[in-house]
Amino acid sequence: MTHFPIVEYDQVTDAKVKEVYDQILSELGFGIIPNIFKSMAINPDILEANWKKFRSTILQGDVPRTLKEMVGVAISQANNSVYGLKVHLHGLSALGMSEEVLSTLVSNFDACPLPEREKAVIQFGLLAGTNPLALNESHYQKLRSFGLDDSEIFEIVAAADLFSSVNRYTDAIALEIDAL
């Protein structure tokens, strides 16, 4: 059981929480407010700050959201974060990712039918999110050789940072998986 209350939309009395919930419903594309945000409603300022970080890191930018979500799958799997893994897989499915790709993404990454460029991004993001001190210039150069610029590489590092943080948060509060 989650250690903080899950505040449903119809229970919200705070104007800031309602505004953030409305933004999530209109921008996230899942038709729900994920439990991670509902668990933050206890502190409207932290909810708002985390939503803004999620929005700017995952929903905006030049790197496709699907690629960022695949980085999230790799990091959540490495961190044994059940909540993170299920949410990212659901997100990728909702974004149109095939079951074949989703299945091999978690079971046999080397056999995953993705272009080498996307695999390099996922491997880079996994390192950034789980073992950042292992990253060196050759890792950055590999992404540049696939045509990524520094702004795109920065987005991948930021997404890896966000997903690693989300794994720690959701595991620390024993967040229950959303009814998806």
Side-chain angles (χ1 to χ4, degrees), residues 56-123:
S56 63
T57 305
I58 305 305
L59 302 181
Q60 299 170 350
D62 295 324
V63 176
R65 180 175 171 187
T66 53
L67 193 49
K68 294 175 186 173
E69 295 278 356
M70 287 190 280
V71 169
V73 166
I75 291 171
S76 297
Q77 188 172 22
N79 289 336
N80 294 316
S81 177
V82 174
Y83 181 90
L85 183 59
K86 292 207 179 219
V87 167
H88 292 298
L89 289 172
H90 172 75
L92 285 166
S93 181
L95 294 169
M97 184 70 57
S98 76
E99 289 303 316
E100 176 191 13
V101 171
L102 294 178
S103 175
T104 55
L105 187 63
V106 294
S107 65
N108 186 1
F109 181 75
D110 291 335
C112 191
L114 291 171
E116 288 305 313
R117 179 183 190 269
E118 292 187 9
K119 285 184 168 185
V121 167
I122 295 166
Q123 290 168 327

Side-chain angles (χ1 to χ4, degrees), residues 67-68 70-72 74-75 118-132 135 139 143 153 155-161 163-164:
L67 193 49
K68 294 175 186 173
M70 287 190 280
V71 169
I75 291 171
E118 292 187 9
K119 285 184 168 185
V121 167
I122 295 166
Q123 290 168 327
F124 180 93
L126 175 60
L127 263 183
T130 60
N131 190 10
L135 286 174
H139 295 102
L143 292 189
I153 296 170
E155 279 185 50
I156 296 161
V157 171
D161 172 61
F163 292 142
S164 297

Side-chain angles (χ1 to χ4, degrees), residues 18-30:
K18 185 169 183 346
E19 181 180 339
V20 171
Y21 275 22
D22 287 339
Q23 291 172 3
I24 292 169
L25 284 171
S26 71
E27 296 176 36
L28 189 60
F30 295 161

